[in-house]
Amino acid sequence: MSGTEARGLGGDGTRAVRAGLPEPVKYEPTLPGPVFAAHFHLPGEPTGPYTYGRDENPTWTHLERAIGELEAPGEDGVETLVFASGMAATSAVLFSRLRAGDAVVLPSDGYQALPLVRSQLEAFGIEVRTAPTGGDAQLGVLDGAKLLWIETPSNPGLDVCDIRRLVSEAHARGALVAVDNTLATPLGQRPLELGADFSVASGTKQLTGHGDLLLGYVVGREAGAMAAVRRWRKIVGAIPGPMEAWLAHRSLATLQLRVERQNANALAVAEALRDWPEELGVRYPGLPGDPSHKIASQQMRGYGCVVSFTLPTRARAERFLEALRLVDEATSFGGVRSTAERRGRWGGDAVPEGFIRMSVGAEDPQDLVADVLSALDESAR
């Protein structure tokens, strides 16, 4: 059964395992190896799908089909484009859709690199407006904008906005909507099903899950808009290597297994932190008492693997990180090995000095909880 045929099967696990696979050919591998090619045999007119390595690659094609099946299962007319990184994918949407004199709405509490993007957009004569994710505050600055950029849950604060509501309002005012789906993954949230024009993500994170490659992607259903994104990719050459694309596709087979385990572990860690004697300001959309829980439960099928909390001081946070034994101190998130960091060390995020972002991995939950609680206790001495 090919990946295309598997689109008719409803289970996330089945879809993840089989998505994007080519039609079976006797004696051929089920997932062909990476195609390393700068150019292809091209006699006569260039009418075939593969002409030059910056434009297309068979390994990308399999991965793009797989991601499309996960982001929009069973839906025809959806196109996926893969990129060298999540920021390459983000830039492709923003810079292919916006021109001097346009206005764009970004989240004020989004990914740390967005302020860099803002500076470049403004240098090109594009008006940038910002508002927080929580409370659907971006609606307040939407009038006249050409594009609304949503990040939900937000990174690192884990606030959530109502995608359906924002999409409806944006479309009524003539704006397109792109949703950064990195933290949720396609198994946790499907922005196109909620009405968005683009679903954009860093495949570096939980989608591929092993912390060993950089990848980004854009999924959309409007042919003209996606053609502009494709043209931008061609112009700037922000393409993934075939090995990275192949590793990403291979990793998708375990996506559902990883997501279920990591999300369950994240909830266990969040509950333990919530019940700790100190008030830690724990944020996790899966906690019933979390400010994001109500909206998240209406539009998400899983709450992600990231938990955040705040220790009283920078020194306490650093002692906590040093006391961890199972959890590595590292940036990024979504990997099978748990990581944590004091987010304020980078600057750029509006968080307290003691704010911790923890990416919960696939270790045994009792081991993780014990490690976190032991580190909290040790750091308090």
Side-chain angles (χ1 to χ4, degrees):
M1 181 183 297
S2 70
T4 302
E5 290 170 327
R7 291 173 63 185
L9 301 175
D12 282 342
T14 301
R15 187 174 295 112
V17 167
R18 307 202 66 89
L21 297 181
E23 295 291 339
V25 177
K26 191 174 182 178
Y27 305 127
E28 293 292 324
T30 53
L31 177 61
V35 175
F36 298 96
H39 59 265
F40 301 82
H41 287 296
L42 199 64
E45 294 299 315
T47 56
Y50 304 110
T51 58
Y52 186 62
R54 190 181 65 249
D55 299 326
E56 289 288 355
N57 179 290
T59 310
W60 303 351
T61 300
H62 296 315
L63 175 60
E64 288 171 342
R65 288 173 180 168
I67 293 172
E69 289 172 23
L70 294 172
E71 283 276 356
E75 185 172 340
D76 294 325
V78 170
E79 183 177 0
T80 303
L81 296 169
V82 290
F83 289 82
S85 68
M87 283 308 300
T90 296
S91 299
V93 172
L94 291 169
F95 290 104
S96 70
R97 299 307 308 168
L98 298 169
R99 302 288 184 272
D102 290 340
V104 61
V105 176
L106 302 179
S108 59
D109 54 347
Y111 179 54
Q112 184 192 45
L114 285 181
L116 299 176
V117 175
R118 175 178 185 165
S119 296
Q120 192 60 58
L121 289 167
E122 290 175 337
F124 288 162
I126 296 163
E127 179 189 355
V128 180
R129 308 170 188 166
T130 63
T133 298
D136 299 342
Q138 289 174 291
L139 289 176
V141 292
L142 186 57
D143 283 348
K146 185 173 182 180
L147 178 68
L148 168 63
W149 187 274
I150 294 171
E151 185 179 304
T152 180
S154 62
N155 172 30
L158 303 180
D159 278 323
V160 169
C161 60
D162 187 334
I163 296 176
R164 290 185 184 90
R165 182 187 180 200
L166 267 67
V167 166
S168 177
E169 291 284 349
H171 286 173
R173 303 181 203 188
L176 296 176
V177 180
V179 177
D180 185 331
N181 204 35
T182 302
L183 199 147
T185 83
L187 299 195
Q189 181 172 269
R190 294 190 176 122
L192 296 190
E193 290 183 357
L194 300 171
D197 301 287
F198 302 101
S199 181
V200 187
S202 167
T204 307
K205 310 297 194 294
Q206 197 175 19
L207 187 84
T208 57
H210 294 87
D212 54 8
L213 60 90
L214 296 177
L215 190 84
Y217 68 82
V218 178
V219 184
R221 63 165 61 91
E222 205 285 302
M226 289 303 292
V229 174
R230 178 184 291 274
R231 181 173 179 271
W232 181 264
R233 183 179 71 173
K234 178 182 176 73
I235 291 170
V236 301
I239 59 172
M243 192 67 196
E244 285 78 7
W246 184 85
L247 284 170
H249 197 171
R250 184 202 62 172
S251 298
L252 290 183
T254 61
L255 177 60
Q256 191 247 13
L257 299 173
R258 291 184 281 105
V259 163
E260 283 197 353
R261 176 62 172 243
Q262 290 177 250
N263 290 8
N265 281 359
L267 179 59
V269 169
E271 289 172 340
L273 290 166
R274 177 199 60 193
D275 297 338
W276 183 253
E278 294 176 90
E279 173 54 51
L280 300 177
V282 181
R283 294 300 307 273
Y284 182 66
L287 287 173
D290 189 271
S292 295
H293 182 72
K294 181 178 180 181
I295 296 298
S297 64
Q298 294 171 2
Q299 66 190 22
M300 299 183 72
R301 298 156 60 239
Y303 300 108
C305 64
V306 177
V307 177
S308 70
F309 56 100
T310 303
L311 293 170
T313 64
R314 170 176 177 168
R316 174 75 184 283
E318 290 173 346
R319 291 197 303 271
F320 167 78
L321 293 168
E322 290 171 1
L324 291 166
R325 297 295 177 263
L326 281 179
V327 182
D328 297 327
E329 189 171 357
T331 195
S332 196
F333 60 84
V336 292
R337 290 172 289 278
S338 294
T339 62
E341 69 173 337
R342 190 182 66 82
R343 193 63 188 161
R345 65 180 176 170
W346 298 102
D349 289 319
V351 295
E353 285 290 325
F355 181 94
I356 301 291
R357 184 183 73 180
M358 181 175 177
S359 170
V360 182
E363 300 90 348
D364 287 320
Q366 62 270 24
D367 294 337
L368 279 174
V369 169
D371 190 38
V372 169
L373 297 185
S374 175
L376 282 173
D377 183 56
E378 184 176 336
S379 66
R381 296 173 190 169

